[in-house]
Each structure stands twice: as structure tokens, then as C-alpha cells.
Amino acid sequence: MQHGPAVRRRKLGAELRALRSSAGLTSGEAARLVGWHQSKVSRIETGTSGVKPADVRLLLDAYGVTDAQLRELLMVLAGAEDSDGRHHWWHAYRGVLPPTYRDFISLESQAGAMRTLETAVVPGLLQTAEYARAVTRAAVEGLPEDRLDTLVEVRLARQDVLRADPPLKLSAVLDEAVLRREVGGPGVMARQLERLVEAARLPQVRLQVLPFAAGAHIGVTGPFVIFSFSSTSDLDVVVLDHLTSSLYLERKEDLQAYTEAFNALQIHALSPEDSLDFIAGTAAGA
């Protein structure tokens, strides 16, 4: 398990190494093409050192990579903005957001799909402003109002990925406890459930409820997120949130285990149609 930045460096390096190999070049030959020492190419490929976006561009040009989507993804992983600059909006919040959260947002902004199990609260991408405020206030005691305002603002800004072109495809399995836990009071919770009903009808969102009646399940160990990328599955990653940090799992066996776990949860959960009815019924009784 590694923190996000280290994972991203390694994933970026591994992808650059694969592209170099596909181009039929040794690391020494690649270094000569871009005017570097071979050790720099090696450090980049092993993720032991960071790499500037301009350096990634040089390597991609040298390797003859023309796939625009792949080039953009790798450039963003190196810290560059995408073509319209939208993926680095969170840089304005550097003084407020911890590095692990900024890294999570950057992955979320570039992912093609996101699968998540939530056992306690509504996924951030589907929270209303008042629900987000109540959750954040409870999670961080003694937070000044201005900082709380900023964190809620960031939470809402993240939701733009669902309205992007193309939008992020979100698949979420919600434990029934998410719907039953009254966050922020009855009114806040009622409006949050209504928001979930609206979200469940979006073509890019798949919501399923795991009812209490399903009993114990593989997700009792805690929530998780799986990010998948359209350009290459080698960049897929599992994110586990902890109280003070986030941990990232990138090994193929970890990805397979969590993917299988999520598939099993979807099987035991209510269908999207029945889940919509369940959420609507819960909202009506809230």
C-alpha cells in the first residue's frame, strides 16, 4: 500500500516503460533521443523520481505516441493541465486540501469509471451542500466556518465530473445504513434522499442498495473506491480512506480482489430499479 503520489509516479513510469518497449527502444536509446542520461529515464520508469510534464511530452513524442486521450492522461498524471484546464481547478485550494485529497481529486477527474462501496455516508459526488456540510462538520471537529465553507465548495465542485463530456461513469453500492443514518437532521436527510433518487435516474449513474436483510457481506470490512481509466487498465487503482490519510492499492491481485468483491456486492444488492424504489420509499418515510 502506498500514498497516492507514489502510486501515480510508479504507474506513470510503468506506462512510459511499456510505451518505450513498444517503440522498440532501450532506455539508453530513449535517453539519447531526448538528450538525457540513461539514469534519468530509469528513475522516471521506476517511479523513484518525479517527472515534469514537459519531459513526459518529450518521451511521448520520441516513442511516437499519437493517442490523444492517452497522452492527456499521462500528462495530467505528471502534473499538467488538460486541454481545457478543468482538471487542475483544485490547485486554488492548495492551502486547504491535504496532498492525499488533492491526489484523489486528480484521479477522480481523469478516471473513466468509478466503483464505490459506501457503508456510512452518501458518496461525495452525490451529496447535497447541506449534507456535505453536516458530514464535514462531524468529521473534523472545531473546523472554522470559513474553512468548512471551502471544503463544501470543493465537494460540490468535484461533482462536475458527472456532467463532463464524457461524464464519469459512477457505480455505487450503498449499505442501507447510508439511507437510515440521519445526517444534519430530518430535513437535510429528506432532501439528500431526494437527490439520490434524481441521481439514480441519470444514465451515467448506477445505484444499488444493499439492504440489512442481505445480512453480513464482504463489504463489512469498510468502504472502498475503484478508479478505472479508459485509455489503459494499468492505471486502475483502489483507494481506501482512513481517518488521517488515504491508501492506494495498485497490484493486479489487489485490483482483482476488490473488483470481485464489488461484483459480489452488486449481486447481493437490490437491482437498480428496486433500489430506486427503496430509496424513494425511504425518502417518503423520512
Side-chain angles (χ1 to χ4, degrees):
M1 293 187 291
Q2 296 287 336
H3 292 291
V7 168
R8 291 175 66 195
R9 284 200 305 271
R10 270 209 311 280
K11 284 184 171 295
L12 176 58
E15 186 63 21
L16 290 172
R17 183 171 61 248
L19 291 171
R20 172 179 59 74
S21 179
S22 296
L25 298 170
T26 66
S27 59
E29 290 169 338
R32 285 192 293 274
L33 280 174
V34 296
W36 298 344
H37 192 280
Q38 181 179 354
S39 62
K40 180 174 181 176
V41 174
S42 297
R43 289 196 304 271
I44 290 172
E45 291 185 351
T46 57
T48 55
S49 68
V51 54
K52 297 178 180 178
D55 290 341
V56 172
R57 186 180 295 110
L58 280 176
L59 291 174
L60 295 177
D61 290 343
Y63 302 159
V65 178
T66 58
D67 185 324
Q69 188 175 19
L70 177 57
R71 285 179 67 99
E72 184 171 313
L73 173 57
L74 296 180
M75 291 291 290
V76 170
L77 287 178
E81 291 189 355
D82 71 352
S83 56
D84 60 11
R86 67 187 172 89
H87 292 305
H88 275 191
W89 58 264
W90 57 89
H91 278 188
Y93 301 94
R94 277 183 178 274
V96 178
L97 305 181
T100 51
Y101 190 21
R102 294 201 306 267
D103 202 66
F104 181 92
I105 295 173
S106 69
L107 289 173
E108 183 178 72
S109 72
Q110 276 294 305
M114 174 180 174
R115 287 164 285 177
T116 181
L117 165 69
E118 290 293 349
T119 58
V121 297
V122 170
L125 294 182
L126 303 178
Q127 292 178 6
T128 65
E130 53 189 355
Y131 183 97
R133 178 176 293 275
V135 166
T136 305
R137 181 180 282 119
V140 188
E141 292 186 1
L143 198 63
E145 281 299 310
D146 59 342
R147 182 157 181 165
L148 177 60
D149 290 343
T150 300
L151 291 176
V152 172
E153 184 178 308
V154 169
R155 182 68 54 87
L156 298 181
R158 284 175 48 203
Q159 298 176 4
D160 283 346
V161 295
L162 294 176
R163 297 182 287 271
D165 184 20
L168 174 76
K169 295 180 180 178
L170 174 64
S171 295
V173 173
L174 311 182
D175 191 276
E176 184 177 342
V178 172
L179 310 180
R180 301 295 182 187
R181 178 169 288 102
E182 191 175 282
V183 174
V188 171
M189 198 63 205
R191 288 185 288 275
Q192 177 60 73
L193 292 175
E194 291 172 1
R195 172 68 182 278
L196 284 179
V197 170
E198 295 172 2
R201 296 193 174 108
L202 296 174
Q204 67 270 36
V205 175
R206 177 187 175 95
L207 286 186
Q208 291 182 257
V209 175
L210 195 61
F212 291 147
H217 54 77
I218 196 168
V220 295
T221 55
F224 60 85
V225 172
I226 306 173
F227 284 124
S228 299
F229 297 85
S230 304
S231 299
T232 171
S233 62
D234 289 339
L235 295 174
D236 293 358
V237 63
V238 177
V239 185
L240 307 177
D241 271 338
H242 293 262
L243 183 62
T244 57
S245 66
S246 296
L247 293 174
Y248 294 67
L249 307 178
E250 57 174 329
R251 297 184 309 167
K252 291 188 182 299
E253 50 266 44
D254 291 325
L255 285 163
Q256 181 178 350
Y258 277 88
T259 297
E260 291 176 352
F262 190 80
N263 292 342
L265 289 167
Q266 286 188 308
I267 291 173
H268 288 95
L270 300 176
S271 69
E273 296 75 19
D274 289 342
S275 295
L276 179 59
D277 291 340
F278 191 97
I279 296 170
T282 305

